[in-house]
Amino acid sequence: MRGPGRLHVWPRPQPTPTGVVQLRVRLGIGLFRYLLLVLVSFALAAYAGVQLLKGDALGVALWFVGAALLHDLVLLPLYSVTDRAAQFLFGGRPATPVRPRKPSVNYVRVPAFVSGLLLLVWWPLILRQVGHYTAGTGLPADVFLGRWLLITAALFAASAAALTVRMWLASGPRRRAARHQRKARSATK
């Protein structure tokens, strides 16, 4: 009961998990297993680096520096501007304290990222720059571009379907309220 002679007692804040507890909560593993996992991954990365640099170390170093420069100076600004444009186009309604914003731009980001990753990995085959893969794949070189385009179209179609379902489910309370209002209006007539 509040009153002039009574002090309000605020509830204690709950402690946030830190350290090992946070690792256990986030990863489901303890500190020892986490450190072991990190050490194994470092050992695997060191082995891959030694194997990669065994042949042409200067060529690999030049390729790595060139790829970093290409990414930082060309690709990063390009996809940052593209993402800002997509956020502007698909921004949706502004956030309110009651309703947080659910960005629909993610339904464009995810298929674009996966499609770009597939293009990056299979670049020579998609752009028909390497002919000697025909013996390895058993497929002619001209099928990869069409298949990549089909995969890209399927990714965007699945993303559009997921967005449509999300929007339909989110509109459920409004549809029910509108139906209830129509029924109430028809019952009063």
Side-chain angles (χ1 to χ4, degrees), residues 164-173 175-176:
T164 304
V165 167
R166 189 196 90 186
M167 291 173 68
W168 185 74
L169 290 174
S171 70
R175 285 188 322 230
R176 284 191 293 273

Side-chain angles (χ1 to χ4, degrees), residues 16-98:
T16 58
T18 58
V20 177
V21 175
Q22 192 173 16
L23 275 177
R24 193 174 301 267
V25 168
R26 283 190 174 182
L27 301 176
I29 59 175
L31 181 62
F32 177 73
R33 290 181 184 164
Y34 176 73
L35 290 175
L36 184 65
L37 184 65
V38 168
L39 288 175
V40 168
S41 64
F42 280 156
L44 182 64
Y47 172 76
V50 167
Q51 294 301 314
L52 183 66
L53 295 174
K54 190 182 283 186
D56 182 21
L58 181 63
V60 170
L62 284 175
W63 177 86
F64 188 74
V65 169
L69 288 175
L70 176 71
H71 176 266
D72 291 348
L73 298 178
V74 177
L75 296 178
L76 180 66
L78 181 68
Y79 61 72
S80 295
V81 167
T82 306
D83 185 58
R84 290 291 181 190
Q87 285 180 13
F88 178 74
L89 291 174
F90 300 104
R93 60 175 164 58
T96 62
V98 177

Side-chain angles (χ1 to χ4, degrees), residues 152-163:
T152 300
L155 286 169
F156 277 98
S159 184
L163 177 61

Side-chain angles (χ1 to χ4, degrees), residues 14 18 28-29 66 80 84-85 94 97 101 111 117 121 124 137 139 144 149 157-158 160 164 186:
Q14 296 295 321
T18 58
I29 59 175
S80 295
R84 290 291 181 190
R101 183 173 171 195
L117 189 62
V121 170
T137 62
L139 297 171
F144 294 103
L149 289 172
T164 304
S186 66

Side-chain angles (χ1 to χ4, degrees), residues 124-145:
L125 293 173
I126 292 171
L127 297 180
R128 300 180 192 130
Q129 292 182 349
V130 181
H132 65 275
Y133 280 103
T134 304
T137 62
L139 297 171
D142 59 350
V143 301
F144 294 103
L145 176 62

